[in-house]
Amino acid sequence: MTVTNELVSTYFKQTPAYKCWLNYDLIAKNDRLEEYKEICGDFNVLGDTLIYKSIKEELTVALHSMSHKEEVAESTFEDATLIISDSERVNLEDYGVEPSLFSSINEEGFLIKSFHNGERNTVLIIGKTDKGSLYGTYHFLRLLQGNESIEALHILNSPKNRVRMMNQWDNVDGSIERGYSGQSIFFENDQITSNLDRVKDYARLLASVGVNAISINNVNVWKVETHFITNRFINEIADIAGIFRAYGLKLFLSINFASPIELGDLQTADPLDKEVKNWWKEKAAEIYKVIPDFGGFVVKADSEHRPGPFSYDRNHADGANLLAEALESFGGIVVWRCFVYNCMQDWRDRKTDRAKAAYENFKPLDGKFHSNVILQVKNGPMDFQVREPVSPLFGALQQTNQVLEFQIAQEYLGQQKDLCFLVPMWKEVLDFDTYAKGEGSTVKKIVDGSLYDYQISGIAAVSNIGNDENWTGNTLAQANLYGYGRLIWDPDLTADEIAKEWVSLTFGNDDNVQEQVLSMLMDSWGIYENYTTPLGIGWMINPHHHYGPNVDGYEYSRWGTYHFADRDGLGVDRTIETGTGYTAQYFKENQEIYNSLSDCPDEFLLFFHHVPYTHVLKSGETVIQHYYNSHFKGVEQVKSLIEKWTSLEGKMEKQQFENVLNRLDMQLTNAKEWRDQVNTYFYRKSGIEDEKGRKIY
Amino acid sequence: MTVTNELVSTYFKQTPAYKCWLNYDLIAKNDRLEEYKEICGDFNVLGDTLIYKSIKEELTVALHSMSHKEEVAESTFEDATLIISDSERVNLEDYGVEPSLFSSINEEGFLIKSFHNGERNTVLIIGKTDKGSLYGTYHFLRLLQGNESIEALHILNSPKNRVRMMNQWDNVDGSIERGYSGQSIFFENDQITSNLDRVKDYARLLASVGVNAISINNVNVWKVETHFITNRFINEIADIAGIFRAYGLKLFLSINFASPIELGDLQTADPLDKEVKNWWKEKAAEIYKVIPDFGGFVVKADSEHRPGPFSYDRNHADGANLLAEALESFGGIVVWRCFVYNCMQDWRDRKTDRAKAAYENFKPLDGKFHSNVILQVKNGPMDFQVREPVSPLFGALQQTNQVLEFQIAQEYLGQQKDLCFLVPMWKEVLDFDTYAKGEGSTVKKIVDGSLYDYQISGIAAVSNIGNDENWTGNTLAQANLYGYGRLIWDPDLTADEIAKEWVSLTFGNDDNVQEQVLSMLMDSWGIYENYTTPLGIGWMINPHHHYGPNVDGYEYSRWGTYHFADRDGLGVDRTIETGTGYTAQYFKENQEIYNSLSDCPDEFLLFFHHVPYTHVLKSGETVIQHYYNSHFKGVEQVKSLIEKWTSLEGKMEKQQFENVLNRLDMQLTNAKEWRDQVNTYFYRKSGIEDEKGRKIY
């Protein structure tokens, strides 16, 4: 079968770095191999949608690769021992499955079930729809890669979040805003890429972890990108939409709010203007003509100099609703970002607090948005710092659909040179109790829609991929891409579970490799925090490019990002009584904790309070000694990461090993620079000696 | 006469901003006008070199413009009342001039003399050579513009410095490194400009103040510019050389030391390699074939990552002599820059001192350079800060030709937004006594060659012009271009005299305008120093672009540029006993002053000493209070600049007025930012209150 051979041979040419967690290595254990061969040898995919075609391809490649079976081909339904279909296509009762089972899962869910008909073992992968089948297939393949038994399976699973989105910040010139893994896989030289194979492989990676939506261009929509929704580009974008469609992902575009002026020759983009409304309606119709399942628009408006409704004395609801009305009849949605603040702040102005901006801008508009608008809110009130409290907008918006925004790209977190596994951080955010409707009002319950019964909601994230061979610069940063998908599918998974899965899928099932890499991943966020900005203060980073230390780099800037360190102490007073009053944006339980110097958790201390260097932490250390200690410790921890990694030499492909080792070396240099600059800065300012007499400059 | 009409009509189309100090305004005083018309009405230029052609053109345009005389044309020698020629062409005794007079001036000198032959007044402008005639002509035209009497002139004048050079830092893509006045007038889009008219006008401006050499490309010679010395560019460069030749300027090129590799396909650029030597010799011959009076090469080698002899374990003398040998037989020279230091310094390393680098690199090589090599040394040991001591290399090199390098472009000094008249600063440098051969061993005597009898020496400077209508961004920055030329022609001119000349030539002879602009210019350096980095510390500026404050911007960098401020004090200890030992590079008299905390002048205090904030200055203020005071004062002074300028509205062309007003507004914003950031930084660090209780953040 030529197609099979072509697929397989293409696949075999790819490097492990490129294949990521879809490596499909030969099954190592012989007994499992036999088991898998028996069951998976004859599979049948019952269904003929685009998605089923993708499933067939994936199975072909995966089974071939894992078993090194020479012939992997679809069998007849009657002979099959692995059957993939959906609840609409098979008679469930034939296989002992109660149809009512499927009413407990949503339409992206699936059942994986072992079935014995006396003669032989059969595995059923039954989606509620074809999308469920796709996710079930990937789930099943993960089991095989983990060498788990498939003799007695009964897995019923469906995603907790309805919107599971990826935001590319790719520009049409091929660059990526905050991209650390090469150039765009979508665009080059002001054109859409011709390498659609790579786009397809990205779709596979995303689908394999359950991502179901993607916006392919930067939220900052520049001149050329504004034309994406015109004939100049839309047909080629439709081709890309088609690739993603076959893997269950809807395509979104970031748009320029001023499009009616820039594209339409209108004099205004006023959201209440009749011509503007018509213009967007016609524009939506044009788009849906070529992309019938187009997802909708992602919008950054009135933020960091991008145009928006403020120019016309309108508010964000006016702006979002304009677009929502245009998309409504086609089933499209508007993802409207809440990253709105005064980016021309005067550093002398101690009253304005950037942390308060999103809440102040959007809370008063709660309930004013159309039902096909989602507000997208960054996890913290600032901007993806190593440690931020959860944005107080979560829970505050009770009648407005919400999407939580994470950043997989490590903009402030080491830029995929430094190791920083982000799932533990994301977990903390999702598990955070807002107390919006009393105890248990966690962020995950807000964004999955259950707390306030949102119509649509979920999670989005800024991607970390580019056209580097390994997609993510640092191979270990693949774990963040993987982990993001897995976590938002099921926020109850632990970071540890997710990390283990990824390590096993990526590097195989060697115990020592698993143990070392797992500990490296799980420790990495804390390590990065140790040598950068512990106690919640953030920033202190090089302006513009955001890599490496610069303690005062943002201190006299217009970005609203200050630490207020003086000779006596540091931190931002955000209390109600003497500070900016930011703490008042939280529900009572959190407000009281954060507002209180004694109750505030150490890790957020400097975010909420300005304290003397001699303030004693809950740990018993003074603030200044904690700074010295954590910075010295952080560097030592990086050295131990290097030791752990070095011990794995020869246990993986050389390219993978060296990629990470090379990045770890960069991380060590960076960590030392952070240690010495931060310690020296605070030593010179405070005059307080390190208790342990270590070298400070 | 068509040529005249064309010249004149072209000239009349130019704006005052463009014409700079060659405005040639109508003479305001009627009696002077009559006097000038009588004498200048009939001029005769005796000589037919290219330079004499330029003189004729300049006189035609200038006299026409100043007198509004309808016919300005050359007269016969017999009828002429204004005669321009040189000592080789006229019989001096016919005019009562002792030929021996000319032995006291060098070949660029001139005599201007009134002569009465009974019948009529005649003015003679007699150069020693045609170049002298050119400079004499411009000198004479300045007298007319100043409305001075020309009835009884006897001026014998010649330049003190032999090399009077301009360095353009222009790139072939049209950008200018450290350019603040638009794009290059020489290059655009990787090609030589086609607008040679503008090049000619630049040549006129430079010649009018006596500049006699120009290098037209950036000392950082990038990929394309490396090809300037090949057929791809050399013929067009020869055209530019021709334009400058007609105004007495020799053209130089900055070259890439690695040219033999990049252009010649050699494996090495080793200066002692025979093939490399041959390559340069052949290259020189090629160049001189098309530019017979080519000046030579300007070289930045082994500096800030540019290639140089260090790659081959050779020293700077080896490198410079290689090129000198190639140019020698053609009369060319090598200008070898001494801006050599470790630009990858570790800020933790307190022993290395960038200030010491030039001396350490070049002093040991004194006497090792060929006679057609000149070492080009920046005025200070760092890099064109607002206040630096004079480089200790001046006087230290006793057997090596030297050129002093100034920077007219205000890289660190407000970038032609902020007003900063540089002649007072340059004067201080030139008048500085190095004590190299006892008292009176001033820098000006070193660079004019008299102290050590250098074969060739003089002064060079980085230009501040671009293709802005007014050449220099801020119209008042034209004064720096003018002043540079005038000062290096005669370092005994005072800054005040030069400023007065420029104001009068540019804005005419209104007393009030003269007074106000003069005081603005003369105060401006001190004002800029007040609101930026007084007491000699320097830096504290935004990295990379070098505009605006950033107190710690260079503190943890690799550039060797630190202030070492801590909670107790600031400054760099460069003393012999406890510091870097930099002071030892000076001759005894200066060494003792700088090395002594009590003797060191206030303005250099922090350059040489680390002192507590409470250290009392000679002025009686503490260091910290001086910082507060000068920063508050500086902003008030900028406001008074604005008041002065505003009072001149209507007294000059609107475009000129608004250009400067606009820049002064930017300066005020900048000054306030400097004031507040610097004061806040040191207040937070020192905890010491301002005695006057002014607002610090």
Side-chain angles (χ1 to χ4, degrees):
Chain A
M1 202 179 137
T2 326
V3 178
T4 305
N5 290 344
E6 226 179 273
L7 273 174
V8 170
S9 77
T10 302
Y11 195 78
F12 270 83
K13 281 182 206 142
Q14 295 173 352
T15 62
Y18 181 87
K19 288 190 278 194
C20 300
W21 55 86
L22 301 180
N23 247 317
Y24 300 133
D25 279 338
L26 179 66
I27 302 303
K29 293 187 191 165
N30 276 331
D31 49 343
R32 282 282 184 258
L33 183 58
E34 288 314 305
E35 180 188 339
Y36 294 173
K37 276 187 174 172
E38 191 191 325
I39 294 179
C40 304
D42 300 301
F43 73 87
N44 186 273
V45 175
L46 189 65
D48 53 7
T49 65
L50 265 178
I51 287 177
Y52 279 115
K53 183 168 171 286
S54 301
I55 293 172
K56 279 181 212 176
E57 282 187 15
E58 196 71 28
L59 280 171
T60 303
V61 164
L63 297 176
H64 188 105
S65 177
M66 283 191 281
S67 67
H68 283 204
K69 198 164 187 280
E70 293 192 6
E71 279 294 312
V72 173
E74 216 184 331
S75 172
T76 61
F77 183 66
E78 288 68 28
D79 294 337
T81 48
L82 173 61
I83 293 166
I84 301 94
S85 191
D86 58 61
S87 62
E88 293 158 357
R89 282 181 171 81
V90 293
N91 187 358
L92 295 169
E93 285 166 348
D94 288 353
Y95 299 91
V97 179
E98 266 296 307
S100 64
L101 208 57
F102 278 80
S103 62
S104 69
I105 59 174
N106 60 40
E107 59 173 19
E108 295 178 307
F110 58 84
L111 171 73
I112 302 177
K113 188 179 184 313
S114 305
F115 175 77
H116 303 259
N117 72 352
E119 270 179 50
R120 57 186 180 187
N121 281 335
T122 300
V123 172
L124 302 172
I125 303 174
I126 309 292
K128 186 150 175 179
T129 65
D130 57 354
K131 283 180 75 180
S133 305
L134 179 73
Y135 299 133
T137 302
Y138 279 116
H139 193 101
F140 177 72
L141 291 172
R142 265 199 301 275
L143 297 179
L144 304 193
Q145 289 173 279
N147 290 357
E148 295 188 31
S149 169
I150 55 173
E151 276 187 5
L153 297 172
H154 187 94
I155 298 167
L156 192 68
N157 198 326
S158 68
K160 299 274 170 53
N161 290 292
R162 186 158 157 193
V163 176
R164 303 180 305 280
M165 190 169 193
M166 192 62 69
N167 294 160
Q168 305 297 135
W169 283 1
D170 294 30
N171 299 313
V172 74
D173 66 1
S175 67
I176 302 175
E177 184 162 330
R178 310 307 176 185
Y180 312 105
S181 317
Q183 296 289 100
S184 174
I185 68 163
F186 295 99
F187 313 116
E188 52 191 341
N189 301 324
D190 285 357
Q191 298 187 312
I192 311 287
T193 183
S194 54
N195 181 3
L196 294 179
D197 289 344
R198 182 130 199 184
V199 173
K200 178 178 166 182
D201 283 328
Y202 188 41
R204 291 174 53 234
L205 288 169
L206 294 179
S208 75
V209 293
V211 173
N212 67 356
I214 184 168
S215 60
I216 60 169
N217 63 313
N218 188 0
V219 289
N220 290 312
V221 182
W222 310 117
K223 197 173 170 59
V224 178
E225 292 88 344
T226 299
H227 290 260
F228 275 8
I229 52 174
T230 69
N231 284 334
R232 179 167 160 201
F233 289 106
I234 198 67
N235 288 304
E236 284 177 280
I237 290 172
D239 292 341
I240 289 179
I243 291 169
F244 283 114
R245 185 181 299 123
Y247 289 88
L249 289 104
K250 280 198 174 185
L251 183 134
F252 289 68
L253 289 174
S254 298
I255 56 94
N256 179 345
F257 194 81
S259 293
I261 299 168
E262 294 194 26
L263 301 177
D265 292 330
L266 298 193
Q267 299 296 310
T268 177
D270 180 351
L272 301 192
D273 182 272
K274 204 172 167 184
E275 279 190 88
V276 171
K277 289 183 180 211
N278 280 336
W279 189 88
W280 279 111
K281 278 183 183 155
E282 282 168 25
K283 183 51 69 183
E286 284 172 29
I287 296 169
Y288 279 91
K289 198 177 274 176
V290 289
I291 311 175
D293 61 346
F294 180 65
F297 298 141
V298 173
V299 193
K300 175 175 180 175
D302 288 317
S303 166
E304 296 178 337
H305 312 297
R306 302 310 302 153
F310 285 178
S311 310
Y312 310 99
D313 268 334
R314 313 301 183 192
N315 64 32
H316 286 280
D318 297 327
N321 291 341
L322 160 77
L323 302 171
E325 282 166 25
L327 296 171
E328 198 165 24
S329 63
F330 304 102
I333 62 175
V334 176
V335 179
W336 190 269
R337 294 176 85 240
C338 296
F339 186 56
V340 175
Y341 67 100
N342 174 11
C343 68
M344 295 297 282
Q345 186 177 332
D346 189 329
W347 60 269
R348 301 165 189 84
D349 165 19
R350 293 290 282 261
K351 295 217 178 80
T352 301
D353 181 0
R354 169 168 167 180
K356 294 166 76 177
Y359 186 99
E360 286 175 340
N361 274 289
F362 287 93
K363 169 69 181 166
L365 298 175
D366 190 21
K368 303 269 197 290
F369 293 90
H370 283 10
S371 62
N372 62 330
V373 173
I374 318 184
L375 296 188
Q376 182 164 314
V377 183
K378 290 192 180 190
N379 62 276
M382 297 297 279
D383 191 17
F384 302 130
Q385 299 303 292
V386 69
R387 180 84 65 164
E388 289 187 43
V390 165
S391 169
L393 265 181
F394 293 107
L397 296 175
Q398 308 190 353
Q399 306 164 62
T400 307
N401 300 316
Q402 230 172 332
V403 155
L404 166 62
E405 177 176 335
F406 287 134
Q407 191 182 42
I408 311 175
Q410 296 166 234
E411 176 177 353
Y412 296 95
L413 302 177
Q415 304 193 348
Q416 288 133 252
K417 295 187 183 82
D418 299 29
L419 180 63
C420 195
F421 181 55
L422 296 167
V423 175
M425 177 166 99
W426 298 333
K427 273 293 282 185
E428 283 196 11
V429 172
L430 291 167
D431 288 343
F432 178 75
D433 196 342
T434 68
Y435 292 93
K437 282 176 76 173
E439 195 171 345
S441 305
T442 54
V443 169
K444 65 187 171 193
K445 283 194 193 160
I446 293 165
V447 298
D448 74 13
S450 60
L451 195 76
Y452 289 125
D453 205 16
Y454 293 148
Q455 306 242 335
I456 38 172
S457 61
I459 303 178
V462 182
S463 177
N464 67 344
I465 70 110
N467 69 358
D468 276 2
E469 174 66 18
N470 67 355
W471 301 84
T472 56
N474 188 332
T475 294
L476 296 184
Q478 292 176 357
N480 286 326
L481 186 65
Y482 179 87
Y484 167 71
R486 294 290 291 136
L487 180 68
I488 67 171
W489 177 279
D490 181 4
D492 292 326
L493 290 171
T494 68
D496 203 71
E497 284 169 336
I498 292 172
K500 268 185 192 147
E501 276 184 17
W502 178 80
V503 175
S504 156
L505 296 171
T506 304
F507 296 113
N509 296 301
D510 178 293
D511 285 347
N512 185 248
V513 174
Q514 288 201 349
E515 189 188 333
Q516 300 300 333
V517 182
L518 182 67
S519 83
M520 288 175 70
L521 291 177
M522 292 303 292
D523 293 343
S524 59
W525 175 39
I527 294 172
Y528 189 83
E529 184 178 36
N530 277 342
Y531 64 75
T532 58
T533 57
L535 306 181
I537 192 72
W539 307 99
M540 301 197 190
I541 203 158
N542 274 309
H544 312 304
H545 64 71
H546 299 162
Y547 188 79
N550 189 335
V551 182
D552 271 0
Y554 274 103
E555 192 60 16
Y556 301 94
S557 78
R558 60 189 174 84
W559 298 99
T561 47
Y562 317 114
H563 54 62
F564 299 124
D566 60 24
R567 72 188 334 243
D568 301 315
L570 84 163
V572 186
D573 184 350
R574 292 191 161 104
T575 64
I576 296 166
E577 295 75 14
T578 56
T580 67
Y582 165 74
T583 55
Q585 292 184 349
Y586 288 94
F587 290 92
K588 184 163 159 289
E589 291 80 351
N590 289 319
Q591 185 187 122
E592 286 176 359
I593 290 172
Y594 291 149
N595 201 59
S596 154
L597 181 57
S598 56
D599 293 342
C600 183
D602 283 351
E603 69 262 31
F604 294 127
L605 182 70
L606 302 178
F607 193 93
F608 289 107
H609 299 276
H610 186 91
V611 302
Y613 293 117
T614 52
H615 175 87
V616 178
L617 297 169
K618 295 186 174 42
S619 68
E621 292 172 320
T622 60
V623 166
I624 188 73
Q625 193 57 43
H626 180 82
Y627 251 63
Y628 295 153
N629 289 347
S630 65
H631 282 86
F632 282 112
K633 182 177 173 190
V635 170
E636 297 311 308
Q637 288 176 306
V638 175
K639 288 180 188 165
S640 85
L641 291 178
I642 293 175
E643 274 170 35
K644 284 180 184 172
W645 189 255
T646 307
S647 77
L648 304 179
E649 187 166 11
K651 296 195 171 169
M652 65 186 67
E653 200 237 9
K654 199 170 172 228
Q655 188 192 14
Q656 303 269 66
F657 176 78
E658 289 185 345
N659 166 276
V660 174
L661 187 61
N662 174 266
R663 303 283 167 145
L664 287 169
D665 284 341
M666 293 182 204
Q667 180 173 9
L668 183 60
T669 304
N670 190 38
K672 286 179 180 171
E673 198 61 31
W674 272 99
R675 175 195 66 191
D676 292 337
Q677 285 200 30
V678 170
N679 284 347
T680 299
Y681 180 97
F682 286 105
Y683 173 64
R684 287 189 188 172
K685 211 151 196 168
S686 71
I688 298 170
E689 303 284 341
D690 171 37
E691 283 172 4
K692 302 184 184 170
R694 290 162 293 193
K695 182 74 183 165
I696 298 178
Y697 297 88
Chain B
M1 203 179 138
T2 326
V3 177
T4 305
N5 290 345
E6 225 180 274
L7 274 173
V8 171
S9 77
T10 302
Y11 195 76
F12 269 82
K13 280 182 205 142
Q14 294 172 353
T15 61
Y18 181 86
K19 288 190 280 193
C20 301
W21 56 86
L22 301 180
N23 249 316
Y24 301 132
D25 281 337
L26 179 65
I27 302 304
K29 293 188 194 165
N30 276 332
D31 50 343
R32 282 281 183 260
L33 183 57
E34 288 313 306
E35 180 187 339
Y36 293 173
K37 275 186 174 172
E38 190 192 326
I39 294 179
C40 305
D42 299 301
F43 73 87
N44 186 273
V45 175
L46 189 66
D48 53 6
T49 65
L50 265 178
I51 287 179
Y52 278 114
K53 183 166 171 288
S54 301
I55 293 172
K56 280 181 213 175
E57 282 188 17
E58 197 72 27
L59 280 172
T60 302
V61 164
L63 297 176
H64 187 105
S65 178
M66 283 192 281
S67 67
H68 284 203
K69 198 163 185 285
E70 293 190 8
E71 280 292 312
V72 173
E74 215 183 333
S75 170
T76 61
F77 183 65
E78 287 70 27
D79 293 336
T81 48
L82 173 62
I83 294 168
I84 301 96
S85 190
D86 59 60
S87 62
E88 293 158 356
R89 284 183 170 82
V90 293
N91 186 0
L92 296 169
E93 284 165 349
D94 289 352
Y95 298 92
V97 178
E98 266 294 305
S100 65
L101 208 59
F102 278 80
S103 64
S104 69
I105 61 175
N106 60 41
E107 60 172 19
E108 294 177 307
F110 58 84
L111 171 74
I112 303 178
K113 189 178 182 316
S114 305
F115 175 76
H116 304 260
N117 73 350
E119 270 179 52
R120 54 186 183 190
N121 280 337
T122 301
V123 173
L124 302 171
I125 304 174
I126 308 292
K128 186 151 175 177
T129 65
D130 58 355
K131 284 180 72 181
S133 305
L134 179 72
Y135 299 133
T137 301
Y138 279 116
H139 193 100
F140 177 71
L141 290 172
R142 266 199 300 275
L143 297 180
L144 304 194
Q145 289 172 279
N147 289 358
E148 294 188 33
S149 170
I150 56 173
E151 276 187 4
L153 297 172
H154 186 95
I155 299 167
L156 191 69
N157 198 325
S158 69
K160 298 274 169 55
N161 289 293
R162 185 157 159 193
V163 176
R164 303 182 304 280
M165 189 169 193
M166 191 64 68
N167 293 160
Q168 304 298 133
W169 282 2
D170 295 28
N171 299 314
V172 74
D173 66 2
S175 66
I176 302 175
E177 185 161 330
R178 310 308 176 185
Y180 313 105
S181 317
Q183 295 290 100
S184 173
I185 68 163
F186 295 99
F187 314 116
E188 53 191 341
N189 302 323
D190 286 358
Q191 297 187 313
I192 310 287
T193 184
S194 54
N195 180 4
L196 296 180
D197 290 344
R198 180 129 201 184
V199 173
K200 179 179 167 182
D201 284 327
Y202 189 41
R204 290 175 53 234
L205 288 169
L206 294 179
S208 75
V209 292
V211 172
N212 67 357
I214 183 168
S215 61
I216 60 169
N217 64 313
N218 188 359
V219 290
N220 290 312
V221 182
W222 310 118
K223 198 173 169 61
V224 179
E225 291 88 344
T226 299
H227 291 259
F228 275 9
I229 52 173
T230 70
N231 284 333
R232 181 170 160 198
F233 289 106
I234 199 67
N235 288 304
E236 285 177 279
I237 289 173
D239 292 342
I240 289 180
I243 291 170
F244 283 113
R245 185 181 300 123
Y247 288 89
L249 289 106
K250 278 197 176 188
L251 183 134
F252 288 69
L253 288 173
S254 298
I255 56 96
N256 180 344
F257 194 81
S259 294
I261 300 168
E262 293 193 26
L263 301 177
D265 292 331
L266 298 193
Q267 299 296 309
T268 178
D270 180 351
L272 301 193
D273 182 272
K274 204 173 167 185
E275 278 191 88
V276 172
K277 289 183 181 212
N278 280 335
W279 188 90
W280 279 111
K281 279 185 181 154
E282 282 167 25
K283 183 51 70 183
E286 284 172 28
I287 296 169
Y288 279 90
K289 198 178 274 177
V290 288
I291 310 176
D293 61 346
F294 180 65
F297 298 142
V298 174
V299 193
K300 175 175 180 175
D302 287 318
S303 168
E304 296 177 339
H305 311 298
R306 302 309 302 155
F310 285 177
S311 310
Y312 310 99
D313 268 334
R314 313 300 182 191
N315 64 32
H316 286 280
D318 297 328
N321 291 340
L322 162 76
L323 301 171
E325 281 166 26
L327 295 171
E328 199 165 23
S329 63
F330 304 101
I333 62 175
V334 176
V335 179
W336 190 271
R337 293 177 83 242
C338 295
F339 187 55
V340 176
Y341 66 101
N342 175 9
C343 68
M344 294 297 281
Q345 186 175 334
D346 189 328
W347 60 268
R348 302 166 188 83
D349 165 16
R350 293 290 281 260
K351 295 218 179 77
T352 301
D353 181 0
R354 169 169 166 180
K356 294 167 75 176
Y359 186 100
E360 286 174 341
N361 273 290
F362 288 92
K363 169 70 182 164
L365 299 175
D366 190 22
K368 302 269 197 293
F369 294 89
H370 283 10
S371 62
N372 62 330
V373 172
I374 318 186
L375 295 189
Q376 181 163 316
V377 183
K378 291 193 181 190
N379 61 277
M382 297 298 279
D383 192 16
F384 302 129
Q385 301 300 293
V386 69
R387 180 84 65 164
E388 290 187 43
V390 165
S391 168
L393 265 183
F394 292 107
L397 296 175
Q398 309 192 351
Q399 306 163 62
T400 307
N401 301 316
Q402 230 172 333
V403 154
L404 165 62
E405 177 176 333
F406 287 135
Q407 191 183 40
I408 310 176
Q410 296 166 232
E411 175 177 354
Y412 296 94
L413 301 178
Q415 304 191 349
Q416 289 134 254
K417 295 187 182 83
D418 300 27
L419 181 61
C420 195
F421 181 56
L422 297 167
V423 175
M425 177 165 100
W426 297 333
K427 272 294 282 187
E428 283 195 10
V429 172
L430 292 168
D431 288 342
F432 178 75
D433 195 343
T434 67
Y435 291 93
K437 283 176 78 175
E439 195 173 344
S441 305
T442 55
V443 170
K444 65 188 171 193
K445 284 194 193 161
I446 293 166
V447 298
D448 74 14
S450 60
L451 195 75
Y452 290 124
D453 204 16
Y454 292 149
Q455 307 243 333
I456 37 170
S457 62
I459 303 179
V462 183
S463 177
N464 67 345
I465 71 111
N467 69 359
D468 276 3
E469 175 65 18
N470 69 353
W471 301 84
T472 57
N474 187 333
T475 293
L476 295 185
Q478 292 176 356
N480 286 325
L481 187 63
Y482 179 87
Y484 167 70
R486 296 288 293 134
L487 180 67
I488 66 171
W489 177 280
D490 181 4
D492 291 326
L493 289 171
T494 69
D496 203 71
E497 283 169 336
I498 292 171
K500 268 185 191 145
E501 276 184 17
W502 178 79
V503 176
S504 155
L505 295 171
T506 303
F507 295 114
N509 296 302
D510 178 294
D511 284 347
N512 185 248
V513 173
Q514 288 200 348
E515 189 188 333
Q516 300 299 333
V517 181
L518 182 68
S519 82
M520 289 175 70
L521 291 176
M522 292 304 292
D523 294 344
S524 60
W525 175 38
I527 294 173
Y528 188 83
E529 184 178 36
N530 277 342
Y531 64 75
T532 59
T533 56
L535 306 181
I537 192 71
W539 307 99
M540 301 196 190
I541 203 157
N542 273 308
H544 312 306
H545 65 70
H546 299 162
Y547 188 78
N550 190 333
V551 181
D552 271 0
Y554 275 103
E555 193 59 17
Y556 301 94
S557 77
R558 59 187 174 85
W559 299 100
T561 48
Y562 316 113
H563 54 63
F564 299 123
D566 60 22
R567 71 188 334 243
D568 301 316
L570 83 164
V572 186
D573 184 352
R574 293 191 160 105
T575 63
I576 295 165
E577 295 74 15
T578 57
T580 67
Y582 165 74
T583 54
Q585 292 185 347
Y586 289 93
F587 289 92
K588 186 165 159 287
E589 290 82 350
N590 289 318
Q591 185 187 122
E592 285 176 359
I593 290 172
Y594 290 149
N595 201 60
S596 155
L597 181 58
S598 56
D599 293 341
C600 183
D602 283 352
E603 69 262 29
F604 293 127
L605 182 70
L606 303 177
F607 193 93
F608 289 106
H609 299 276
H610 185 90
V611 302
Y613 293 117
T614 51
H615 174 86
V616 179
L617 297 169
K618 294 187 175 41
S619 68
E621 292 171 322
T622 60
V623 165
I624 189 75
Q625 192 58 42
H626 179 82
Y627 251 63
Y628 295 152
N629 289 347
S630 65
H631 282 86
F632 282 112
K633 182 176 172 189
V635 170
E636 297 311 308
Q637 288 176 306
V638 174
K639 288 180 188 163
S640 84
L641 291 178
I642 293 175
E643 274 170 36
K644 283 180 186 174
W645 188 255
T646 307
S647 76
L648 304 180
E649 187 166 10
K651 297 197 171 169
M652 66 186 66
E653 202 235 8
K654 198 170 173 227
Q655 189 192 14
Q656 303 270 66
F657 175 79
E658 289 185 347
N659 166 276
V660 173
L661 187 62
N662 174 267
R663 303 285 168 143
L664 287 170
D665 284 341
M666 293 183 204
Q667 180 173 10
L668 183 60
T669 303
N670 190 40
K672 285 179 179 170
E673 199 60 31
W674 272 98
R675 175 194 65 192
D676 293 338
Q677 285 200 31
V678 170
N679 283 348
T680 299
Y681 180 97
F682 285 104
Y683 173 64
R684 287 189 188 172
K685 212 151 196 167
S686 71
I688 298 172
E689 302 284 342
D690 171 36
E691 283 173 4
K692 301 185 185 170
R694 291 162 293 194
K695 182 73 182 166
I696 297 180
Y697 298 87

